[in-house]
Amino acid sequence: MKASIQAVAAEAGVSISTVSRTFAKPNLVLPETRSKVMAAAEKLDYRISRSAAALKTGQSFRVALLMSDSISTWFNSNTYAGLDSVLHPAGYDISIFEMADAHDRHEFFATLPVRRNVDAVIVNSFNIVPEEVEKLSNMKVPIVGINIPSINGFNATVSIDDRQAMHVAVKHLFSMGHRRIAYAYETSNDNNQNMVFSAEARLHGLMETAEERKMTVERIAIRNYEDATNTILNSLLTMDPAPTALYCESDELALPVIYKLCQYGHAVPQELSVIGFDDVPLAAKIGLTTLHQDPFNMGENAARKMLSVMSGKTPKPLHETLQAQLMMRETTAFID
Amino acid sequence: MKASIQAVAAEAGVSISTVSRTFAKPNLVLPETRSKVMAAAEKLDYRISRSAAALKTGQSFRVALLMSDSISTWFNSNTYAGLDSVLHPAGYDISIFEMADAHDRHEFFATLPVRRNVDAVIVNSFNIVPEEVEKLSNMKVPIVGINIPSINGFNATVSIDDRQAMHVAVKHLFSMGHRRIAYAYETSNDNNQNMVFSAEARLHGLMETAEERKMTVERIAIRNYEDATNTILNSLLTMDPAPTALYCESDELALPVIYKLCQYGHAVPQELSVIGFDDVPLAAKIGLTTLHQDPFNMGENAARKMLSVMSGKTPKPLHETLQAQLMMRETTAFID
DNA sequence: TTGTATGCGTTATCAA
DNA sequence: TTGATAACGCATACAA
């Protein structure tokens, strides 16, 4: 039942420091001694107590993951999976702090409950403001960001270049003759305080390129109490002249729309080109043209940078900007 | 920087025991003293060290979550969210152990790396075998299961009644005149060793009711290297006589199929009724008839049972079986 | 290369 | 209701 380090030491006929070393720094102990210790440990079913090790070393082996949205979204769950694939083997647990609304968020940054209890903080994809970063900095632990608005105050970051991605996609539409496009995006109620950073960047990126090319953009802003699919469909129907392409902020928005369009006899892409963002698994299966990003990979990347910073090193690209890739599939076509 | 319990005690002019009590058992300390301590803690920016508390109490405040699939699936990420919504506020971290293949799985149960380092184990939705449960039992911590094949060895469980759900759905099809249905489901390569328990139950449930009603079932088994959508579409086309209804093991399978059917001019539900399982968000948006289950809720439920067991109590329903609900939407209809 | 001794920051026991 | 003190299980400086 108990089987502490003492018992193993006794069983193996060595001191507890040797047992400790056998697990923590195996190369500092004679192979012979090592196997003796391992045998004893095996026999007694011994496992190192992470709590004790943590207390002694001053580390907590815990990282805080800050998100503004649920872990169950496509982006967040994949980011998490990527982080965990690196962090778990390294002995770290991930503690999720979800800040759904302004209140949660204020509460978190006011009390900083993780203080002195995490070895690092990961900020995942929300428009954290400078004062909040400042508060995190007071914790004196590495801060790494994924899709955050500014690298200021961050030890490392990895982000998708949403803006550039939009440029590519809009140019793609332009080159196929589209001059009049509709853009569907979600807006939150609380003054966009909680609007994810990516959303802003995507909107700006789109507008920039469209203006530059003199394309007309009809915006379809979806309030979060609305039925997105219907809102988009209705807007499409009322626009006059009708747009030739529909750009959706995310695949999640685009997917039900293209299904409904098909059902109601509107041919995609013949009548309307549709383009999404994210490249969720269903997008490929359905042939949706979209911008591909890989949150699992971003999570892995961020985790590696984090580990690197924690061990005092400087990760090669401290701040990395990834390009989303345009996946040209079947929902976009030349006009006419 | 340091700000340990000693410092707070000094600042507040009390002993460390009082400080400890103020945080751990506030009601055992005079309100007056309490506020003195709180003020000092606030001033010094003190937070309790979870590692030290864990060491002393013998608890780890960590639970292991065993899954056979990635956290990024719809079911798993929602279960996790539900678990975390209860466990996180209670001070527990969740450590995910993903056992993707037979090798991982064997490794895990052979070494039991979590031994003595978690306060409980949650087995999420895979067909764990008795010997494995037996090994977990040796850890002497509560074991709670979500969608597991047998309650033997588990302190508490919560499961969906997949079998019953299939009965309901098949009867629904029967009552609408369907006598010839196709069932699409995924099979893994390694002798179904890793087939999730739900998958087996769904298949059996379907066959039972179909046989009972003398309905014909054409099985479409999808190997995991195959393109599921195409496999299903091809099978549908080659079956003679054609089935009047397609039942998919999961919405994930059904969604791209109904889109493709629409694209190729096959009317759903007029030509073919389609039914899914899960009720992912997109199912509602698209109008897919499906069986609704709520993994977030199951996670919450399991977490509450776990906490209850850990505190020595006996949760009211120790083992709970939930009914999936048939969501009758637009992809099923009367035949002819 | 290994052993001895000390302390990490907390909680629990007991006494006051 | 509060305080003194002894662990909890391990890692590390230092000595051997």
Side-chain angles (χ1 to χ4, degrees), chain A residues 36-325:
Chain A
K36 251 196 322 192
V37 173
M38 290 311 244
E42 177 90 6
K43 181 176 172 193
L44 301 180
D45 231 1
Y46 171 77
R47 301 285 179 287
I48 256 188
S49 158
R50 297 188 57 195
S51 310
L55 173 60
K56 182 59 199 174
T57 60
Q59 296 179 262
S60 65
F61 291 105
R62 192 181 300 118
V63 286
L65 174 59
L66 275 40
M67 317 185 307
S68 66
D69 216 347
S70 166
I71 173 78
S72 61
T73 66
W74 171 79
F75 189 89
N76 287 347
S77 65
N78 278 285
T79 311
Y80 183 97
L83 288 167
D84 199 54
S85 74
V86 172
L87 263 19
H88 189 128
Y92 289 87
D93 284 329
I94 300 173
S95 225
I96 297 182
F97 290 81
E98 183 186 334
M99 288 157 292
D101 52 37
H103 176 262
D104 283 5
R105 189 160 163 176
H106 180 263
E107 171 82 7
F108 178 86
F109 286 102
T111 66
L112 238 40
V114 292
R115 182 136 217 202
R116 285 176 23 84
N117 273 307
V118 296
D119 298 334
V121 178
I122 301 166
V123 178
N124 184 17
S125 217
F126 69 93
N127 66 342
I128 190 167
V129 297
E131 307 94 77
E132 291 170 337
V133 177
E134 170 75 19
K135 285 180 183 162
L136 289 183
S137 297
N138 289 334
M139 291 174 48
K140 307 289 180 208
V141 297
I143 309 173
V144 357
I146 297 176
N147 277 352
I148 38 78
S150 155
I151 63 169
N152 283 332
F154 283 83
N155 296 83
T157 57
V158 24
S159 303
I160 273 285
D161 194 341
D162 290 280
R163 225 171 172 113
Q164 168 65 15
M166 296 305 277
H167 292 174
V168 172
V170 174
K171 282 180 196 163
H172 171 64
L173 289 175
F174 182 89
S175 72
M176 292 195 301
H178 298 272
R179 296 294 177 272
R180 184 169 194 85
I181 66 185
Y183 181 64
Y185 62 105
E186 299 184 279
T187 58
S188 63
N189 291 328
D190 46 354
N191 289 330
N192 289 6
Q193 283 292 325
N194 249 17
M195 189 176 187
V196 292
F197 168 64
S198 292
E200 282 184 82
R202 289 180 197 174
L203 179 56
H204 289 152
L206 175 98
M207 296 311 289
E208 279 167 12
T209 312
E211 277 168 25
E212 185 187 307
R213 309 252 162 163
K214 309 249 183 284
M215 295 162 81
T216 310
V217 178
E218 294 274 1
R219 298 202 207 173
I220 306 174
I222 302 155
R223 305 287 173 337
N224 53 20
Y225 51 81
E226 290 179 314
D227 175 330
T229 311
N230 253 309
T231 302
I232 295 172
L233 256 17
N234 275 288
S235 303
L236 249 25
L237 253 53
T238 43
M239 288 176 189
D240 184 22
T244 62
L246 167 68
Y247 201 138
C248 293
E249 182 191 36
S250 67
D251 292 349
E252 193 191 340
L253 245 32
L255 261 4
V257 168
I258 61 173
Y259 178 70
K260 289 289 185 186
L261 285 171
C262 179
Q263 256 198 328
Y264 296 132
H266 295 284
V268 170
Q270 295 80 357
E271 284 181 46
L272 182 75
S273 282
V274 178
I275 191 164
F277 203 119
D278 279 348
D279 200 16
V280 301
L282 199 52
K285 291 179 191 161
I286 267 177
L288 175 67
T289 296
T290 191
L291 284 154
H292 174 86
Q293 63 173 334
D294 187 344
F296 184 95
N297 173 63
M298 292 174 77
E300 283 184 310
N301 192 333
R304 274 195 291 265
K305 284 187 170 37
M306 212 195 77
L307 253 25
S308 180
V309 170
M310 290 197 290
S311 66
K313 293 176 215 152
T314 302
K316 339 169 207 188
L318 217 45
H319 299 284
E320 199 163 355
T321 301
L322 275 22
Q323 298 301 322
Q325 208 182 354

Side-chain angles (χ1 to χ4, degrees), chain A residues 1-3 45 47-52 54-55 59-60 62 71-72 77-78 80-81 84 88 93 95-97 111-112 115-117 252 256 258-260 262-263 282 285-286 330, chain B residues 1-3 45 47-52 54-55 59-60 62 71-72 77-78 80-81 84 88 93 95-97 111-112 115-117 252 256 258-260 262-263 282 285-286 330:
Chain A
M1 181 70 183
K2 295 259 146 191
D45 231 1
R47 301 285 179 287
I48 256 188
S49 158
R50 297 188 57 195
S51 310
L55 173 60
Q59 296 179 262
S60 65
R62 192 181 300 118
I71 173 78
S72 61
S77 65
N78 278 285
Y80 183 97
D84 199 54
H88 189 128
D93 284 329
S95 225
I96 297 182
F97 290 81
T111 66
L112 238 40
R115 182 136 217 202
R116 285 176 23 84
N117 273 307
E252 193 191 340
I258 61 173
Y259 178 70
K260 289 289 185 186
C262 179
Q263 256 198 328
L282 199 52
K285 291 179 191 161
I286 267 177
E330 302 150 31
Chain B
M1 180 67 184
K2 295 260 149 194
D45 230 1
R47 300 286 178 288
I48 252 187
S49 157
R50 297 187 58 194
S51 307
L55 173 59
Q59 295 180 263
S60 65
R62 192 181 300 117
I71 174 78
S72 62
S77 65
N78 278 284
Y80 183 98
D84 200 54
H88 190 128
D93 284 329
S95 224
I96 296 182
F97 290 81
T111 65
L112 236 40
R115 182 134 217 206
R116 283 173 26 84
N117 272 308
E252 193 190 340
I258 62 174
Y259 177 70
K260 288 289 184 186
C262 179
Q263 257 196 327
L282 200 51
K285 290 179 190 159
I286 267 179
E330 303 150 32

